[in-house]
Amino acid sequence: MTAANEAKAILQRLGVPGAVWSADGFEARSPIDGSVAGRVAETPDLDAVADRATAAFHQWKRIPAPRRGELVRLLGEELRASKDDLARLVTLEAGKIVSEGLGEVQEMIDICDFAVGLSRQIYGLTIASERPGHHMRETYQPLGPVLVISAFNFPVAVWAWNACLALVCGDPVIWKPSEKTPLTALATHAILDRAIARFGDAPEGLSQLVIGGREAGEALAADPRIPLVSATGSTRMGRAVAQTVAARLGRSLLELGGNNAMLVTPSADLDMAVRAIAFSAVGTAGQRCTTLRRLLVHDSIADTLIARLQAAYETLPVGDPRVDGVLVGPLIDETAFHGFDTALKQAVEQGGQVVVGGEREDRDGVYVRPAIVRMPAQSAVVQHETFAPILYVLTWSDFDAAVAMQNAVPQGLSSCVFTDSVREAEAFLSAWGSDCGIANVNIGPSGAEIGGAFGGEKDTGGGRESGSDAWKAYMRRQTQTVNFSTSLPLAQGVKFEV
């Protein structure tokens, strides 16, 4: 069965209405074999979308947070019931292997559980007042409609990270998915609609799906009725969103590019390192923001480690991600292949040696052999994020210099070190160590859990999503003071008598 026909069958089971198909809409094409599942109608009236979200906010913010959490709990139940179908659709539309598709939907379920607990734990502070008979506190209030712009590589999980937190915080959600993955968005929204129907008293417009291209995202980002824009994608896209939102003094939560490195020291367990490198560098065909792109190895073990990686890469199963045993599926499209091919040529021009991989498979879809390139220095192509399975290998002899090399790129998302030295591990995690938002020891840079805040610094955008206190981005912070005395003392001892 073609990937497109399988996708159509899943959409029918998940209850996606036939009215989404349009002769002149956005093409829904599977990267597995290039087959077209149909065309998805573009959302016609973005002004009406913002109007509905604004009206929904005025109702939703009055509902107690634990009650709002009940909707997210029901969403988690619906996701559990539809996990296999939705995961399969992720595989068909984004090209992920089966276990990764299942893992992405599990991530959605996990953030539902996190958000349900959060709905009973949204907290503030009690602050000591200098004025007698006064009570000062800090609270968090619902913010307003939230626009979520998501990328193709995590077509549903990123929405869930944002939407589940926004909903329990009292905010309606507008979702503009990647035009490359509209089917998974339609399916997810159909699942959410079932949860909303069970919930019973959710306002119309609480969650809306916008199908459109870059222009739709730009128009919504510029709308002053949307106080927060959460955007995941390239640094180029993030810069445009940030400038648009800042021009109207709105908030932007940005999760952008990564150029993630692993330091491997002489004391490292190379068996563990090889496994971590393989998953981090080739998982999702190198199309994760947390993909391992730079391997910084001590020169005393570089030849040994590269030889082991070469052997592993030569046997990597590349092919249809639906097939058991396949570990590397397709790139999303021809544009991605052009970036892959161009980067390899530039790497060679800049002194690199392709150790293994780099070839395109002769089959329908865009399949490539993941590449390892040994580089003499951290040249321009190494400092640029290429969204494809290319691993650049550089060597070092001094640990502090290796950390400085890791930090000397524009991006700052994820990082890791493999070492059995407590001193090296702690130095890597110190204030003068990794400058990334995520820093790991003896774990690869890819595959974050939802309990921690996810995000990075510099060109990665500075945003934080998912766990910890990331929920605060979706709320309005307010300092409150109550005078329960019979006098009116002023702060700082100011006297003003009339």
Side-chain angles (χ1 to χ4, degrees):
M1 182 185 293
T2 66
N5 286 337
E6 188 176 354
K8 290 176 183 177
I10 291 173
L11 288 167
Q12 186 174 19
R13 287 199 298 272
L14 291 176
V16 175
V20 301
W21 306 110
S22 169
D24 58 354
F26 280 88
E27 188 174 75
R29 182 184 294 271
S30 173
I32 292 175
D33 55 14
S35 58
V36 178
R39 291 181 176 273
V40 183
E42 188 170 0
T43 303
D45 189 347
L46 300 182
D47 189 61
V49 168
D51 274 345
R52 285 192 293 269
T54 301
F57 175 58
H58 292 309
Q59 298 180 56
W60 191 241
K61 66 183 177 182
R62 293 176 176 270
I63 295 175
R67 173 64 180 155
R68 300 193 296 252
E70 172 65 8
L71 172 57
V72 177
R73 189 190 69 78
L74 294 171
L75 172 60
E77 286 189 356
E78 294 293 339
L79 286 168
R80 284 178 171 88
S82 302
K83 179 179 178 179
D84 289 346
D85 272 342
L86 184 57
R88 189 70 167 185
L89 196 58
V90 169
T91 291
L92 294 167
E93 191 171 39
K96 293 188 174 187
I97 63 173
V98 171
S99 65
E100 286 191 276
L102 289 166
E104 179 161 356
V105 180
Q106 185 61 49
E107 201 166 349
M108 301 173 76
I109 294 167
D110 291 346
I111 198 64
C112 285
D113 290 347
F114 178 91
V116 171
L118 172 64
S119 71
R120 294 182 179 272
Q121 290 289 315
I122 293 175
Y123 58 83
L125 295 172
T126 298
I127 304 167
S129 173
E130 69 182 67
R131 290 171 284 185
H134 283 61
H135 177 200
M136 187 161 60
R137 62 194 178 197
E138 183 179 80
T139 63
Y140 287 85
Q141 311 284 14
L143 178 65
V146 174
L147 169 63
V148 179
I149 301 174
S150 61
F152 76 86
N153 60 325
F154 278 84
V156 291
V158 167
W159 169 82
W161 284 5
N162 286 275
C164 292
L165 296 188
L167 288 170
V168 300
C169 288
D171 304 331
V173 178
I174 302 167
W175 182 15
K176 210 297 284 182
S178 169
E179 54 269 36
K180 297 178 182 180
T181 52
L183 302 182
T184 45
L186 290 164
T188 299
H189 223 252
I191 292 167
L192 174 61
D193 284 343
R194 289 199 287 274
I196 288 175
R198 291 173 61 192
F199 181 77
D201 59 351
E204 181 187 359
L206 181 61
S207 181
Q208 298 176 82
L209 181 62
V210 170
I211 302 297
R214 185 179 69 182
E215 296 78 9
E218 290 173 345
L220 289 168
D223 196 313
R225 291 169 291 184
I226 302 173
L228 174 64
V229 177
S230 177
T232 300
S234 69
T235 298
R236 177 201 57 77
M237 179 275 292
R239 290 188 193 280
V241 168
Q243 292 176 38
T244 297
V245 177
R248 59 178 177 84
L249 301 181
R251 297 187 198 175
S252 55
L253 194 165
L254 303 175
E255 297 291 352
L256 311 176
N259 194 351
N260 315 295
M262 177 191 292
L263 276 61
V264 184
T265 75
S267 68
D269 182 329
L270 292 190
D271 290 335
M272 286 180 60
V274 168
R275 291 178 60 201
I277 292 164
F279 170 70
S280 301
V282 308
T284 323
Q287 299 171 122
R288 287 180 177 232
C289 54
T290 53
T291 290
L292 177 63
R293 309 205 183 277
R294 297 177 295 138
L295 182 62
L296 314 181
V297 189
H298 191 272
D299 50 21
S300 67
I301 59 171
D303 290 343
T304 299
L305 181 56
I306 291 171
R308 292 186 61 173
L309 288 172
Q310 181 177 352
Y313 268 53
E314 286 172 346
T315 60
L316 277 173
V318 176
D320 188 328
R322 296 172 292 181
V323 176
D324 287 345
V326 167
L327 295 179
V328 184
L331 296 178
I332 190 67
D333 56 21
E334 290 289 342
T335 301
F337 172 73
H338 176 73
F340 175 79
D341 190 53
T342 299
L344 286 175
K345 291 174 180 176
Q346 291 176 346
V348 172
E349 291 171 358
Q350 294 168 23
Q353 175 192 358
V354 179
V355 176
V356 65
E359 306 87 3
R360 180 167 181 172
E361 300 269 310
D362 184 16
R363 57 188 299 162
D364 291 336
V366 183
Y367 294 82
V368 299
R369 300 293 310 180
I372 297 176
V373 185
R374 193 161 185 172
M375 297 296 295
Q378 194 156 259
S379 61
V381 71
V382 180
Q383 295 193 44
H384 173 76
E385 180 194 33
T386 299
F387 221 57
I390 302 175
L391 180 63
Y392 300 109
V393 182
L394 299 100
T395 60
W396 53 272
S397 58
D398 176 76
F399 183 79
D400 289 343
V403 174
M405 186 190 306
Q406 180 211 266
N407 294 344
V409 295
Q411 309 86 357
L413 178 52
S414 192
S415 60
C416 62
V417 62
F418 270 72
T419 179
D420 277 351
S421 165
V422 172
R423 287 177 177 169
E424 289 174 341
E426 291 296 334
F428 185 79
L429 300 176
S430 71
W432 54 92
S434 169
D435 66 356
C436 296
I438 299 169
N440 298 330
V441 176
N442 294 331
I443 305 171
S446 189
E449 299 179 36
I450 60 93
F454 181 89
E457 303 300 326
K458 302 187 295 189
D459 276 7
T460 303
R464 293 296 185 274
E465 294 174 330
S466 193
S468 186
D469 66 348
W471 59 271
K472 293 180 179 178
Y474 305 85
M475 304 204 80
R476 173 172 55 84
R477 186 169 175 167
Q478 186 175 75
T479 300
Q480 303 172 343
T481 305
V482 177
N483 178 4
F484 58 92
S485 74
T486 58
S487 59
L488 193 65
L490 300 178
Q492 294 84 47
V494 173
K495 301 295 183 182
F496 192 86
E497 301 293 341
V498 294

